[in-house]
Amino acid sequence: VIFDLLSWQAITPETLSLLQALSAAMNAQQNSLVVVSTLSDIPPDDPSLAVVPTLHEAEDYIRFEQMQRDLGL
């Protein structure tokens, strides 16, 4: 799943927390969630949330995670 937040001006702590929880739930089911954003409100080093700056990178990220799962890594 890709959440495109490029048009957002800011993100609330509640929304960020919801995205983190959703990401954890999806990862537990062997699925991917990627947020596309350049907002400084999202911590870049947050291990619970994959954040990339472009839609192309989000697609690449999901493909890479799927390859890792397919290889059992």
Side-chain angles (χ1 to χ4, degrees), residues 7-29:
S7 64
W8 290 33
Q9 300 299 315
I11 188 167
T12 65
E14 293 82 12
T15 302
L16 183 58
S17 184
L18 178 64
L19 286 171
Q20 290 166 328
L22 184 56
S23 179
M26 291 193 66
N27 285 334
Q29 295 180 5

Side-chain angles (χ1 to χ4, degrees), residues 30 32 61-73:
Q30 298 294 306
S32 301
Y61 188 95
I62 288 176
R63 281 190 203 103
F64 182 70
E65 281 202 336
Q66 185 60 48
M67 283 189 285
Q68 286 182 314
R69 282 194 285 272
D70 291 347
L71 294 171
L73 300 175

